[in-house]
Amino acid sequence: MSLHLPDPDPRSTPRSRSGRRGRFGLLAAALALLAGLFVIAERAAGGSNLDKLTVTPGGTASPSPPPSPSTSPSPPPSPSTSPSTSPSPGGAFTVVAAGDIAAQCTARSSSCAHPKTAAQVQAINPAFVITMGDNQYDRGTIHDFRKYYDTTWGKFKKKTRPSAGNHESYDPAGFEAGYKSYFGAIAFPKGKSWYSYDRGNWHFIALDSNIFDQTAQINWLKADLAATTKGCVAAYWHHPLFSSGEHGNDPVSRPVWQILYDAKADLVLNGHDHHYERFAPQDPSGKADANGLVELLGGMGGAVSYKIKNVQPNSRFRLSGTNGVVKLTFTDSTYSWQLIGADGKVKDSSPTYTCH
């Protein structure tokens, strides 16, 4: 900045000493004015008035950012991958299980058993219901499911975790067509008739023994067992590897037993033969083994009973001629059950087993 001072007027007369002092005063005043202008210029270029600005690299001034919050916002909860049947960890829970359920009859017939076994399910009020196949006789059509099964066990449909039996495969509309139409995503949660879910410290696996010859299900089972972090494992399907009943042992289940045995699973539940039976722990060859699988055969859900034919070596209790349901009690490390007859009376009690 330059300061322009006026030139002396050439027409003016010479000034006295006092006049020079006046000129010197004028010069001092001009110098003071010049100093003031320098101060203003310095402040405009970045002096003490910049205390409310933050100078970023490169010399650009920007407003100071607001202070950071003292705590970070909480992240949203991760979505749950557990099935809808999974409660908070810990504590005991009750499950009802049966196979071979809805004969083509109704409560109007005094000999019709599935209305009576359904009444026991209702009285027990379990956390969920397991079915071990042959849910609806004789051919598992959607018409018969609606006419018979739905009027009794259908009351618990939303909390039923079913598996298919051979009678579901006889549907003229197609393989397991009525079963799939009736249960929908409950039985086919990922589009397949096999699935798994968790409850407490238990991992449950529902399989389709009508198609144990398909590698897709077998490969899925191996991967599912490898992935679970639960301490106890139960699996269920229709055809039993071991049975003292009219159908007898079914070797179609042996490869699956071997996979479960190798994975140190605990409990297997089956139907097919229309009686009740429990076995001591054993390996897939039928040899007693404290680290083996415990088999529960529960084909007494409502169909006409079969006779006991050939008692198997590790069979511990058998009952024919009685319809009923199995009431299972699970804890984080143990399991046991009772057979509840259609009359509401306890017909058998198992030992309490500890998970492997």
Side-chain angles (χ1 to χ4, degrees):
M1 172 180 287
S2 62
L3 178 65
H4 179 72
L5 297 177
D7 293 327
D9 187 346
R11 294 173 296 177
S12 62
T13 56
R15 290 184 174 86
S16 63
R17 184 185 300 264
S18 61
R20 286 197 297 270
R21 286 197 298 269
R23 287 197 297 273
F24 285 128
L26 179 62
L27 180 60
L31 290 172
L33 176 61
L34 181 61
L37 290 171
F38 279 137
V39 171
I40 292 170
E42 179 186 11
R43 290 179 176 177
S48 61
N49 282 339
L50 294 180
D51 60 344
K52 293 184 179 179
L53 298 176
T54 299
V55 179
T56 61
T60 303
S62 58
S64 300
S68 300
S70 58
T71 58
S72 301
S74 300
S78 300
S80 172
T81 58
S82 300
S84 59
T85 55
S86 296
S88 300
F93 60 96
T94 300
V95 174
V96 163
D100 307 274
I101 298 169
Q104 293 170 302
C105 61
T106 67
R108 288 179 293 181
S109 170
S110 61
S111 63
C112 190
H114 64 93
K116 299 172 185 176
T117 57
Q120 298 309 315
V121 180
Q122 187 167 4
I124 294 168
N125 189 25
F128 58 95
V129 175
I130 284 173
T131 71
M132 291 90 79
D134 283 2
N135 304 271
Q136 178 59 62
Y137 288 89
D138 275 335
R139 296 185 294 175
T141 65
I142 186 59
H143 173 269
D144 285 347
F145 263 107
R146 291 169 178 164
K147 186 175 181 179
Y148 304 112
Y149 182 97
D150 192 59
T151 62
T152 56
W153 283 63
K155 297 174 183 177
F156 325 110
K157 181 179 178 180
K158 289 184 179 179
K159 62 178 180 179
T160 296
R161 302 294 175 262
S163 63
N166 54 289
H167 280 270
E168 274 81 37
S169 72
Y170 303 153
D171 189 346
F175 180 80
E176 299 179 0
Y179 171 73
K180 184 174 184 179
S181 179
Y182 180 74
F183 283 110
I186 295 173
F188 293 75
K190 294 184 178 179
K192 304 294 184 181
S193 56
W194 55 85
Y195 57 96
S196 64
Y197 54 96
D198 296 329
R199 180 93 183 191
N201 194 38
W202 280 84
H203 185 62
F204 293 89
I205 306 172
L207 297 172
D208 188 345
S209 56
N210 290 326
I211 47 176
F212 272 172
D213 58 340
Q214 292 190 8
T215 57
Q217 182 176 199
I218 301 303
N219 291 339
W220 172 89
L221 173 61
K222 293 176 181 178
D224 183 76
L225 287 166
T228 185
T229 59
K230 299 301 181 179
C232 306
V233 175
Y236 58 98
W237 63 88
H238 189 57
H239 301 88
L241 177 57
F242 302 105
S243 172
S244 300
E246 294 183 22
H247 285 306
N249 298 353
D250 197 329
V252 72
S253 297
R254 183 165 283 112
V256 171
W257 255 73
Q258 188 65 56
I259 293 167
L260 292 167
Y261 178 81
D262 292 343
K264 300 186 184 302
D266 301 283
L267 175 64
V268 167
L269 302 98
N270 302 124
H272 197 44
D273 259 331
H274 299 181
H275 70 278
Y276 166 83
E277 187 168 10
R278 59 178 168 87
F279 292 81
Q282 56 190 324
D283 67 15
S285 67
K287 181 180 178 181
D289 183 346
N291 295 316
L293 293 162
V294 172
E295 182 190 306
L296 165 57
L297 198 163
M300 66 297 122
V304 175
S305 295
Y306 290 171
K307 296 178 181 180
I308 303 299
K309 288 288 190 180
N310 183 22
V311 176
Q312 298 301 302
N314 293 300
S315 177
R316 289 296 175 264
F317 185 85
R318 301 155 301 282
L319 184 63
S320 179
T322 296
N323 292 108
V325 299
V326 178
K327 176 185 177 183
L328 297 111
T329 300
F330 296 95
T331 73
D332 279 351
S333 60
T334 66
Y335 61 102
S336 61
W337 69 83
Q338 293 179 321
L339 171 62
I340 309 298
D343 58 3
K345 295 181 180 179
V346 176
K347 307 296 184 180
D348 181 48
S349 297
S350 77
T352 296
Y353 296 98
T354 300
C355 298
H356 297 141

